[in-house]
Amino acid sequence: MKLNNGKSEDQIQHVSDTALMVAACRAMETAEPDGLIRDTFAERLAGERGMAIARGMPILEWMRFGVGIRAKFIDDILMDTLRERQIKTVLNLGSGLDTRPWRLELPRTLRWVEVDFPAMMEYKREKLADARPNCRLEQVAADLSDARQRQKVFERVGAKEALMITEGLLMYLPRAGLLELAAGAPHASGLRHWLLDVVSEEMLRMSAVGNQSAVDDLRPKDHMVGQAILDAATENGWAITKKRTYAEGGAVASPARSRKLGKLIMKYTGLSSVPKDDGVTGIYLLTRDGGG
């Protein structure tokens, strides 16, 4: 998962490298007593390069907290939804180095389909060769920016009630791709629940410092963020059924770290006070066609 484009090994070179960075942040959270999640597989998946990329971030504590709170909230809502609904399949698009099939106590009969680039799937299989998932795992290699490949993935899900996860994916899709995802997923399959994360334009501006600019360069120029993503979903028949914002939920999950994070935000942005929560940045569960 490396591209020879003149960048050093501790810099993000390809969108797949963001998965290494995220895994490194999960590993760091796991190593801390007050970490927001526990992922014993994260360190091996991140590897030396992933850890180097993460340590090169000028606001690592900010990045760690964001990755940790995102993972925790998705975990919580996912497990609640699996208990509440008769969901047969979970589809994780752009799954990267996610380890939920291994680290969560999922129903043994649950079918979990994860999709990412071929190189990512091969790397992950190699690193987790000795680990056994807690559910029925299927790994699919596909380029989600390709409409025909997306369609094949949806058809593979089948007609039974299913849930889709797009953690950290949507800002890397062009506008047309996101709209097709919102419209096409429920028509081609039993996907009736959509678990996604949204980051507002204001939050992105605050985090656009140092190496973060390398991540920005990987996004299509017409990518959608924040409220625009939610609007695209609701206009295609999805309804918000659950929501947890990073600011409010983070303060509850870890008050001390939230206060520290506020000081870091002021330091790196030059602001005199912590910006007011925009009420948009967070995790959402959407449902469609009587799905909840």
Side-chain angles (χ1 to χ4, degrees):
M1 298 193 299
K2 299 180 182 178
L3 295 179
N4 183 13
N5 59 5
K7 293 186 178 182
S8 64
E9 286 296 293
D10 63 348
Q11 289 182 301
I12 292 174
Q13 303 175 18
H14 183 264
V15 66
S16 295
D17 292 338
T18 63
L20 295 175
M21 177 183 67
V22 169
C25 289
R26 294 202 310 268
M28 293 174 182
E29 283 292 294
T30 300
E32 294 295 328
D34 63 347
L36 292 163
I37 59 167
R38 290 289 177 266
D39 184 348
T40 58
F41 303 100
E43 186 173 3
R44 73 164 90 171
L45 288 168
E48 293 182 4
R49 185 154 181 269
M51 300 301 283
I53 290 173
R55 293 190 184 106
M57 300 296 289
I59 47 172
L60 178 55
E61 174 63 22
W62 190 350
M63 179 65 68
R64 274 184 49 198
F65 190 84
V67 168
I69 206 71
R70 181 177 77 180
K72 174 178 172 51
F73 287 175
I74 290 178
D75 286 357
D76 292 348
I77 295 177
L78 171 65
M79 297 305 288
D80 286 346
T81 306
L82 291 177
R83 283 189 289 267
E84 296 165 1
R85 304 295 307 184
Q86 297 298 314
I87 292 171
K88 303 301 182 183
T89 301
V90 171
L91 173 66
N92 190 358
L93 295 180
S95 57
L97 299 176
D98 172 60
T99 59
R100 290 186 176 91
W102 293 268
R103 65 179 177 81
L104 294 183
E105 295 184 6
L106 300 170
R108 288 288 180 184
T109 57
L110 179 70
R111 180 176 172 234
W112 188 288
V113 182
E114 58 178 21
V115 185
D116 213 310
F117 293 114
M120 178 65 70
M121 291 286 93
E122 182 181 355
Y123 174 84
K124 189 172 182 179
R125 280 193 292 269
E126 176 187 338
K127 292 296 182 181
L128 296 179
D130 63 340
R132 182 178 179 180
N134 296 320
C135 58
R136 296 164 49 207
L137 177 67
E138 298 177 25
Q139 295 176 311
V140 179
D143 181 350
L144 294 172
S145 66
D146 185 289
R148 283 187 291 184
Q149 292 188 51
R150 283 199 308 272
Q151 181 68 17
K152 288 182 179 179
V153 168
F154 294 148
E155 292 172 356
R156 181 173 181 143
V157 170
K160 294 182 179 180
E161 188 171 359
L163 179 148
M164 175 170 65
I165 300 174
T166 55
E167 181 180 14
L169 170 69
L170 300 182
M171 287 189 294
Y172 295 101
L173 294 179
R175 177 184 176 85
L178 191 148
L179 294 175
E180 290 172 8
L181 179 67
H187 289 299
S189 67
L191 287 164
R192 295 295 178 266
H193 310 272
W194 185 1
L195 193 49
L196 69 156
D197 62 300
V198 169
V199 181
S200 70
E201 292 185 19
E202 181 182 5
M203 183 61 70
L204 283 176
R205 283 194 296 270
M206 286 195 296
S207 62
V209 295
N211 284 351
Q212 186 68 19
S213 61
V215 177
D216 295 339
D217 292 342
L218 299 173
R219 296 172 181 143
K221 293 188 181 299
D222 64 343
H223 72 275
M224 301 173 73
V225 300
Q227 188 63 46
I229 291 176
L230 297 174
D231 291 343
T234 55
E235 289 168 6
N236 279 282
W238 296 92
I240 298 172
T241 53
K242 293 183 181 179
K243 170 185 175 181
R244 296 188 71 177
T245 65
Y246 292 169
E248 181 179 353
V252 173
S254 184
R257 289 183 67 188
S258 292
R259 290 191 294 270
K260 180 180 178 181
L261 191 60
K263 294 179 181 178
L264 283 174
I265 291 174
M266 289 187 287
K267 175 182 177 181
Y268 283 98
T269 62
L271 297 172
S272 58
S273 62
V274 179
K276 184 179 180 182
D277 177 22
D278 55 30
V280 174
T281 301
I283 303 301
Y284 293 79
L285 177 69
L286 310 182
T287 59
R288 178 174 166 142
D289 294 340

